[in-house]
């Protein structure tokens, strides 16, 4: 049973560029959340997708957008990259039913913006 | 606003000792709390959770205590082992919140 998988594992981009990160949820999970983790800090909630719609959003600018596909996989897009966007981007999946259940995280995509 | 904080950023213990990691939260509406362990180069991994209608829950070598009166959460690890060395995060959420709010973590180092 595959867990949450993310690609790529590492990425280097230049300021102003755009990036797309991908996530496949754990088998049986239908909800995907994205988190940004800066070095030495806890993960910060970006947004959550369920039934192909953004359901909740954290305090992140519109440069951050996402998508969920019919197979529950998801993408995170960041436009006009800033140096401050350098971080570990974590995808987490869960089941909508049985609310309040732990998140299952992937190992993240390390994004470096130069 | 919501915040989940840990009392100590680092904790160093001797192998075989018990470890206690503390966390304070501020949102009285939170009804579900989770402890995660994050090893270097990996995503956070679920350890144990507790709902607000409980004050204690035990797992294998781990115990979580919840004190809603003072909004305090703790993780106790019995007979700490070198493999327990990692960053530990507490997270809180509430029904229909959608998101979990994480603290900044405590780095646990286990000395042989």
């Amino acid at each position: 049973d595959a867990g949450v998988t993310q690609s790529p594992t590492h990425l280097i981009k230049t300021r102003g560029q755009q990036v797309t990160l991908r996530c496949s949820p754990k088998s049986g999970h239908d909800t995907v959340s994205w988190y940004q983790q800066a070095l030495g800090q806890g993960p910060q909630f970006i947004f959550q997708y369920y039934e192909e719609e953004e359901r909740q959003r954290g305090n992140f600018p519109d440069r951050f957008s996402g998508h969920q596909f019919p197979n529950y996989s998801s993408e995170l897009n960041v436009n006009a990259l800033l140096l401050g966007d350098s971080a570990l981007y974590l995808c987490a999946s869960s089941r909508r039913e049985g609310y309040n259940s732990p998140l299952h995280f992937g190992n993240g995509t390390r994004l470096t913006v130069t | 606003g919501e915040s989940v904080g840990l009392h100590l950023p680092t904790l160093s213990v001797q192998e075989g000792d018990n470890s206690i990691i503390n966390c304070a939260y501020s949102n009285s509406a939170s009804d579900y709390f989770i402890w995660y362990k994050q090893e270097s180069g990996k995503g956070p991994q679920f350890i144990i959770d507790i709902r607000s209608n409980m004050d204690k829950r035990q797992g294998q070598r781990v115990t979580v205590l919840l004190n809603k009166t003072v909004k305090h959460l703790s993780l106790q690890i019995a007979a700490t082992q070198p493999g327990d060395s990692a960053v530990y995060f507490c997270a809180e959420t509430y029904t229909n919140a959608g998101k979990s709010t994480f603290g900044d973590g405590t780095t646990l180092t286990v000395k042989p």
Side-chain angles (χ1 to χ4, degrees), chain B residues 58-97:
Chain B
Q58 289 183 293
Q60 188 177 12
R61 283 203 306 119
V62 294
T63 300
V64 55
L65 299 177
L66 175 63
N67 185 331
K68 295 180 289 295
T69 302
V70 295
K71 298 191 185 68
H72 184 267
L73 195 66
S74 69
L75 175 70
Q76 300 177 2
I77 305 173
T80 314
Q81 302 169 0
D84 295 327
S85 293
V87 181
Y88 289 81
F89 294 97
C90 64
E92 55 92 5
T93 188
Y94 53 91
T95 303
N96 296 326

Side-chain angles (χ1 to χ4, degrees), chain A residues 35 37 48 56 100 102-103 106-107, chain B residues 32 36 38 43 51 97-98 100:
Chain A
Y35 287 79
Q37 187 176 24
Q48 183 183 80
Q56 300 277 355
N100 287 349
L103 298 171
N107 288 329
Chain B
Y32 181 57
Y36 293 92
Q38 187 173 25
R51 302 186 192 285
S100 292

Side-chain angles (χ1 to χ4, degrees), chain B residues 1-4 25-28 92 99 101:
Chain B
E2 302 172 19
S3 69
V4 176
Y25 66 95
S26 62
N27 187 353
S28 57
E92 55 92 5
K99 66 174 184 178
T101 300

Side-chain angles (χ1 to χ4, degrees), chain A residues 51-92:
Chain A
E51 290 186 333
E52 303 178 48
E53 290 188 15
E54 183 183 295
R55 300 291 178 171
Q56 300 277 355
R57 188 179 183 91
N59 189 25
F60 279 81
D62 292 345
R63 297 186 297 109
F64 290 77
S65 64
H67 190 78
Q68 185 179 33
F69 299 93
N71 67 352
Y72 307 120
S73 67
S74 178
E75 289 182 348
L76 165 65
N77 301 292
V78 187
N79 294 323
L81 284 166
L82 303 174
L83 295 179
D85 295 332
S86 295
L88 180 68
Y89 288 85
L90 294 162
C91 172

